[in-house]
Amino acid sequence: MTETPQTARLHPLYVVVGVLFVALVALALWATARGDDQAAGQGDEREAPADPATSQDATIREDVERDLGAIEGVESATVEVLDEDLLEGLPEHVPAPAASVTVDLESFRTPEDAQATVDAVYGVLTTSGLSGSPTLTVVDTLPGTAATMRLEPTGPGDRSVHDGVAFLDAGATAVHLTADNAAVTGREPAALPGLAEVAGTLARPLNSLSTDGYGAMYTSSVDPVPPPLPAVQLLAEAGSRDETTQAVYEVRSPTGNPVPLLTVYVEGPPTPVADWLRASGQADLLGSAIAFTVYGSETSESGFVSDRELVSTDPAGDEADAAAAAADGIPPCTGPDLRAGVTGFDAAAGSRFLTVTAENVSDAPCSLDGRPGLSFLRASGTVPDVLAEPEVPGQSPVRVVVPPGGVATSQLRWGAMSTANDPDQTTSVLVTTVPGAEVTRLRVTDVPGADSGVDILEGARVVVGDWVRAAS
């Protein structure tokens, strides 16, 4: 009889050992994979470390906004910090930019209360933990009037918020006060004298006081002061006349002495407004001369308000004044004595300005009077038909002495012109410094701000100032 072979049976101990071995191998593989993932994550963090200062600002931003919003008189507050992604390209030695804080004030509060609110805002910012010195912008929009205020205080103790709210209370439609510019806007010319009174009471210098749309505008581009009330009253009266399209009162300092100039643009002939200005007593109230030019539809007329003529002075000092007054022994400048130049392009409220210079390159003083001879050259190479007229027709020019190395200047002024239909702008000025001198071509496009030329086009009227001594 044949026996059937029996299948070999594994010992139970071997089975247990085998199962344990497989489990240990699986566990080892899982641990290895997890370690690789953690290492990769740590590597990513090492490659892009967070900027501590920016992370701190981002972390506490909401807390600061909440603390600012809790201050009495604050309607809302926003804290902006630069996103970390934008800082990746900054060199390591460049600190993270400071946070920018905007505070919207509650409307219709007193100037004192609004100032107290912003003082409290600075108190919160000082202890907020934000990096650097956060910049602050204060805004307000009056409901129902659309009047706006935007201020950039320079720091604790700056009273611009008090003054800005005071202007709004006086009827301003826009107030913009920063370290570089102070501008206040009123709804119509009649509102400007009241705003000027507020500026005087607050001792707040203004670069600009104007109406909406700049139909009437007081502007001071140098060393601003509170606008003198007689000057603003004159501006308001001129801007309120039926024939006036724009009136601009400018305080400029081309030679170191501020000289007020009123420019009025009218529909029709200029004579009625020019006669009214000559009869006005505002220059006597101001205590100084005010030059004016009235531009009509076809002609212009110039003179002095109240017929109070300008007393010309030489800002170089008493010694130069005496020399200029007794210039009999000093010969007139000739063409070879002078080197012509052009500089000082500027624009304000519909007017353009350019300054022609004449430097004495000789080794002896010489005297100048009158004004330079001018013509203009456009980009196409053509000469436009331009009317060049004196600042004050019929006035005798003042003789000035130019020492060796000294400079005389003549300021040009013209009204802005549209280049939409005539894009062929003036790119050079052809200057004759004195009669008989050679014509010098000066490139206007080399002057900062006029790199594409200036809008002296066909039919332009350019007021040419007399030679005066440049400020030292």
Side-chain angles (χ1 to χ4, degrees), residues 200-340:
T201 300
L202 299 173
R204 167 63 66 173
L206 295 180
N207 299 94
S208 171
L209 175 62
S210 65
T211 59
D212 295 336
Y214 304 103
M217 181 176 185
Y218 170 97
T219 176
S220 177
S221 59
V222 290
D223 301 328
V225 298
L229 184 57
V232 178
Q233 288 174 331
L234 176 66
L235 172 68
E237 292 175 13
S240 299
R241 292 180 64 94
D242 292 339
E243 63 267 61
T244 299
T245 59
Q246 186 182 43
V248 181
Y249 186 103
E250 298 168 273
V251 179
R252 299 181 56 81
S253 183
T255 63
N257 288 331
V259 179
L261 172 65
L262 177 65
T263 304
V264 185
Y265 297 89
V266 301
E267 295 179 348
T271 301
V273 174
D275 289 345
W276 168 74
L277 289 171
R278 292 189 183 97
S280 170
Q282 294 302 113
D284 294 330
L285 293 176
L286 185 63
S288 66
I290 306 170
F292 73 78
T293 298
V294 182
Y295 289 98
S297 301
E298 297 181 358
T299 60
S300 65
E301 196 165 332
S302 299
F304 286 99
V305 177
S306 310
D307 270 340
R308 181 175 181 136
E309 293 195 4
L310 183 69
V311 178
S312 299
T313 61
D314 182 355
D318 294 339
E319 183 177 341
D321 289 343
D328 292 342
I330 298 177
C333 298
T334 64
D337 294 335
L338 302 173
R339 178 168 58 204

Side-chain angles (χ1 to χ4, degrees), residues 51-55 57 82 87 90-99 131-133:
D51 182 85
T54 306
S55 297
D57 284 356
L82 197 63
L87 296 175
L90 289 178
E92 293 182 1
H93 65 278
V94 177
S131 59
S133 299

Side-chain angles (χ1 to χ4, degrees), residues 320-358:
D321 289 343
D328 292 342
I330 298 177
C333 298
T334 64
D337 294 335
L338 302 173
R339 178 168 58 204
V342 63
T343 186
F345 174 74
D346 197 3
S351 295
R352 304 285 190 266
F353 302 89
L354 196 65
T355 300
V356 174
T357 63

